């Protein structure tokens, strides 16, 4: 059975003081039992990671954390970039790869995304590989093929053992930050197709092991119906993860 995962992608929000406050409030709002049942992770900006690490380690909080991006390179002359080794050294266990905002604003293609997935695995980080279609593709009805292609591209060259270390997040671009949530059936359609694709390209055991998240306007009010879908194993939560009480409520969905 796949343990549910709720990951809060803070995007470019919260300074380190606000980050500390949010993590403390989140931990105080969830019991140990809840944090054991549902894996709870925050994905702050790089500049907050040291603060989050201090809060989590200092009070032995059962909250995981990770970065929102990493360099495909190990080290060197890459001004402004952050390596997987740096994230691992700060105690990160996750890193988002190929978020639609990175694909759109930083021109990341499947080749770059694939190199970043490999860099994450090299450093012992769990990549959260994002796939998802824009509104034009959704309207053409080719969203399943589009997401399968992004999945294939992001996972190219990985062994089944490596793919089992990856989390996939389906985030339809038209549902991000728009308040337009995909219906639970929309989420299930693509999350189910992602699992089928993994079974076809790799094997059933791998497909059954990989967690597939849904992201796009997840809120406390809609999380239960989304999580009720058989192939949805968690959420990648943007805006609603910036409010400790709302994110705690999302993590308490069962
Ligand atoms: P929202 O939850 O704000 O729609 O963002 C979703 C997202 O992009 C998470 O990575």
């Amino acid at each position: 059975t796949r343990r549910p995962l709720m990951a809060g992608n803070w995007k470019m929000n919260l300074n380190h003081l606000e980050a500390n406050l949010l993590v403390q409030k989140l931990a105080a709002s969830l019991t140990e039992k809840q944090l054991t049942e549902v894996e709870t992770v925050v994905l702050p900006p790089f500049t907050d990671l040291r603060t989050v690490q201090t809060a989590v380690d200092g009070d032995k909080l059962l909250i995981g954390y990770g970065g929102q991006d990493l360099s495909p390179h190990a080290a060197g002359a890459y001004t402004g970039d952050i390596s997987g080794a740096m994230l691992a050294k700060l105690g990160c266990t996750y890193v988002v790869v190929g978020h639609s905002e990175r694909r759109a604003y930083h021109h990341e293609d499947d080749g770059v995304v694939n190199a970043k997935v490999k860099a994450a695995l090299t450093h012992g980080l769990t990549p959260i590989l994002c796939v998802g279609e824009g509104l034009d593709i959704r309207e053409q009805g080719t969203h399943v093929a589009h997401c399968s292609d992004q999945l294939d591209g992001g996972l190219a060259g990985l062994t089944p053992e490596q793919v089992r270390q990856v989390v996939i997040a389906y985030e339809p671009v038209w549902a991000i930050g728009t308040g337009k949530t995909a219906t639970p059936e929309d989420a299930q359609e693509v999350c189910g197709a992602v699992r089928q694709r993994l079974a076809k390209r790799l094997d059933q055991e791998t497909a059954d092991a990989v967690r597939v998240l849904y992201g796009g306007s997840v809120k406390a009010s809609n999380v239960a119906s989304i999580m009720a879908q058989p192939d949805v194993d968690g959420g990648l939560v943007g805006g609603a993860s910036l409010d400790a009480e709302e994110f705690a409520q999302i993590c308490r969905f069962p």
Side-chain angles (χ1 to χ4, degrees):
T1 62
R2 300 180 294 267
R3 183 180 174 207
L5 168 63
M6 289 298 165
N9 176 8
W10 295 359
K11 307 193 180 184
M12 196 173 73
N13 294 291
L14 309 185
N15 62 39
H16 72 285
L17 300 171
E18 295 162 335
N20 183 45
L21 202 62
L22 178 45
V23 169
Q24 304 287 357
K25 277 193 197 168
L26 185 61
S29 306
L30 293 163
T31 63
E32 257 187 49
K33 183 168 175 283
Q34 286 162 341
L35 289 164
T36 309
E37 274 173 22
V38 177
E39 188 177 356
T40 302
V41 167
V42 294
L43 304 160
F46 294 134
T47 49
D48 296 348
L49 285 172
R50 182 62 158 174
T51 298
V52 171
Q53 178 191 36
T54 302
V56 167
D57 285 1
D59 290 321
K60 307 228 176 335
L61 307 179
L62 294 175
I63 292 176
Y65 56 92
Q68 298 173 12
D69 180 42
L70 82 167
S71 172
H73 305 289
Y78 301 101
T79 302
D81 288 350
I82 299 292
S83 72
M86 292 169 178
L87 296 177
K89 190 76 178 167
L90 280 166
C92 290
T93 49
Y94 286 92
V95 63
V96 181
V97 176
H99 192 280
S100 59
E101 288 149 18
R102 302 283 322 170
R103 293 180 192 258
Y105 308 142
H106 296 270
H107 314 293
E108 293 189 8
D109 60 18
D110 286 332
V112 170
V113 170
N114 180 236
K116 291 186 172 192
V117 168
K118 289 174 176 164
L121 293 172
T122 298
H123 293 99
L125 300 164
T126 298
I128 302 177
L129 169 62
C130 301
V131 301
E133 81 286 356
L135 189 58
D136 50 333
I137 290 169
R138 167 63 56 167
E139 283 171 348
Q140 283 165 30
T142 53
H143 46 283
V144 168
H146 175 88
C147 294
S148 296
D149 286 349
Q150 285 183 330
L151 184 74
D152 290 355
L155 299 179
L158 266 58
T159 64
E161 291 70 30
Q162 287 177 313
V163 172
R164 278 175 233 156
Q165 309 301 312
V166 178
V167 171
I168 308 296
Y170 168 54
E171 297 207 315
V173 179
W174 48 271
I176 295 178
T178 57
K180 255 192 183 181
T181 322
T183 64
E185 293 73 27
D186 290 335
Q188 170 57 29
E189 182 192 25
V190 179
C191 292
V194 162
R195 204 176 304 288
Q196 277 176 27
R197 184 81 190 161
L198 293 174
K200 192 172 164 219
R201 281 195 60 232
L202 300 153
D203 53 70
Q204 192 61 48
E205 193 193 341
T206 303
D208 289 339
V210 170
R211 289 183 292 180
V212 184
L213 315 182
Y214 166 78
S217 300
V218 173
K219 301 184 274 280
S221 58
N222 60 25
V223 66
S225 59
I226 293 167
M227 289 304 295
Q229 301 301 313
D231 287 302
V232 179
D233 304 315
L236 187 54
V237 185
S241 74
L242 298 174
D243 182 281
E245 191 37 54
E246 171 118 29
F247 190 53
Q249 248 179 284
I250 290 170
C251 297
R252 280 197 295 259
F253 76 89

